[in-house]
Every structure is written in structure tokens, then in C-alpha cells.
Amino acid sequence: MEFFDVLSKTRQKLNYVKSREDKLKSNEFNQGAEIWILNNNKLLITKRSMEKSHPGKWETPGGCSQNSELSIDTIIREVREEIGISLSEKDLELIGTQLYKKQFVDVFKASKVINVSNIILQKNEVSEFKFVTKDEFIRMVKNNEIVNSVSNRYFMFKDIIDLDW
């Protein structure tokens, strides 16, 4: 069972944890991270497993922070778990934070050449991956193929993401 730190609305730790199954109260929040990985001017996206919320929708890699975990450590762990790719802190740039519902989502970007033969999918989380151009991504947004929160963050941070599209 996974546990996370419960945070205040000002993102301060409240000195207790909850499990992912526990519902957050109105004054409780948690933290997560997402990453926009650019590889040869294409964006890496992953398709959510059919067992997860938003089944079959596409997103950028990410997830919830665990107990005592910094968001940068979260994104390094999530990318390694979900797609088998190792990132280091020097690969990452924090581009912004969004308070989405009950979660502070730190959004990172990385430009990294990825050999697709090194990608190993965590099947209970991710069913597919692909690299898309800007036009493909925008078409997928319009066709409602991208998880809404990811689409929202794209439009919120697209100038900061500085995609060379």
C-alpha cells in the first residue's frame, strides 16, 4: 500500500500521511509530478492502462509523490517504473506547478534522446507509448484522446515548455 504526505493549502506538510485509498478532506492536499520529455523534437506520451482511471487515454508520464518524497524524486521514480527510462536531476527542469483539484502537480521538462528499444512498459499502468509532433498532439487534444488535466497543463505551460514545434 502506498502512502503520501498530507499537505495544507499552502503546501506545508501536516505531519501525517494517508494511503491512496483514503479520501482527502477539504483542507488536505497531496503532491504529484508530470514530465514533458522531448526526443528529437517529438513529445513522449503514454497510454493509460484500461484498469486505471481515464482508461485508454494518453498522457505524459507522472504520478503521485510517496511519503517523504520530493517531486523531483517522484518524477524520476515514475519514469523509471512506468517506462523503464532512467533520468537524473540534471536532465530535469521544473517549469511550473498547477493546483489541480486536491493535488499540487509539479511539471518538469526534459530533452533526452531515448532509444525506444530501452522502453519497458509497466503494464498495469501503461499500455502503449509513442512520440508525437505538435500537430498530432493538438489533434489528439481536439479528439479528446488526451487526459483533460494534461491538456490543461499543456495550454497553461506551452510557452514555458518551449517546445520547438
Side-chain angles (χ1 to χ4, degrees), residues 33-51:
E34 172 179 281
I35 189 161
W36 295 71
I37 300 174
L38 300 170
N39 182 39
N40 294 322
N41 208 32
K42 289 187 175 183
L43 176 66
L44 172 68
I45 58 175
T46 56
K47 191 173 190 179
R48 293 176 66 85
S49 164
M50 295 307 285
E51 291 84 44

Side-chain angles (χ1 to χ4, degrees), residues 87-98:
L87 296 173
S88 69
E89 285 189 32
K90 70 179 188 325
D91 295 322
L92 305 173
E93 178 185 346
L94 177 66
I95 59 171
T97 300
Q98 178 192 34

